[in-house]
Amino acid sequence: MWNSHQAPLVVARNTEVKLSEVLPSTGAIAVTNVDGRSMADLDAVFTQFYDGLRFPTYFGWNWPAFSELLRDLSWLSANRFLIVVDNADLLLRDEPIERPAFFRILKEATRHWAGPGLAAPGEPSRMLVLLVCEDSQVAELEDELRAAR
């Protein structure tokens, strides 16, 4: 899984995922788990990521700052990053207009971590994002992720 995906991956809650498929075989990895149930609005999204990834205090609490920090992460002592968004179908439910920006930024961050100087040619992205949801929500979430530009 780590080796084959460079964009956020939508995973049904009951899917069995082998640890060897999610975690790389070498390197220090930072893992954070955030919950869509606790991210009903934009402030809650920023708070969950601020706490989960230990964002610096200078975080600007806006999309540009969020994007910048997801592409930096230099304050973490890791060279790979796994972000698990549980109940991803529920995030930003009070502000659905913000969902495309959230998904676009996640896609940009995973592409960034696969870029020159960060990952060797042919090497997978150093960031993997798993969007976990109910089986019935997988197709809709995948469509939403594809549409986010």
Side-chain angles (χ1 to χ4, degrees), residues 115-149:
L118 296 170
E123 184 182 48
S125 176
R126 292 187 174 272
M127 177 180 279
L128 177 63
V129 178
L130 298 178
L131 302 172
V132 181
C133 63
E134 298 299 330
D135 284 340
S136 62
Q137 297 297 313
V138 170
E140 184 177 331
L141 200 53
E142 287 175 334
D143 288 346
E144 200 173 354
L145 186 61
R146 264 191 300 278
R149 300 194 191 282

Side-chain angles (χ1 to χ4, degrees), residues 12-53:
R13 179 170 322 290
N14 295 327
T15 302
E16 288 188 21
V17 177
K18 293 181 181 176
L19 205 52
S20 61
E21 293 177 352
V22 177
L23 300 177
S25 57
T26 62
I29 182 168
V31 179
T32 192
N33 186 11
V34 293
D35 192 341
R37 289 179 300 197
S38 300
M39 296 189 291
D41 61 30
L42 199 50
D43 285 338
V45 168
F46 293 152
T47 298
Q48 285 268 311
F49 277 83
Y50 178 88
D51 292 342
L53 291 172

Side-chain angles (χ1 to χ4, degrees), residues 6 108-121 123-127:
Q6 293 188 5
E108 289 171 354
T110 56
R111 278 194 304 265
H112 167 81
W113 287 102
L118 296 170
E123 184 182 48
S125 176
R126 292 187 174 272
M127 177 180 279

Side-chain angles (χ1 to χ4, degrees), residues 58-77:
Y58 60 78
F59 173 50
W61 299 87
N62 57 56
W63 285 131
F66 183 71
S67 177
E68 179 183 337
L69 291 183
L70 282 180
R71 291 178 286 119
D72 181 353
L73 301 174
S74 60
W75 58 91
L76 297 175
S77 58

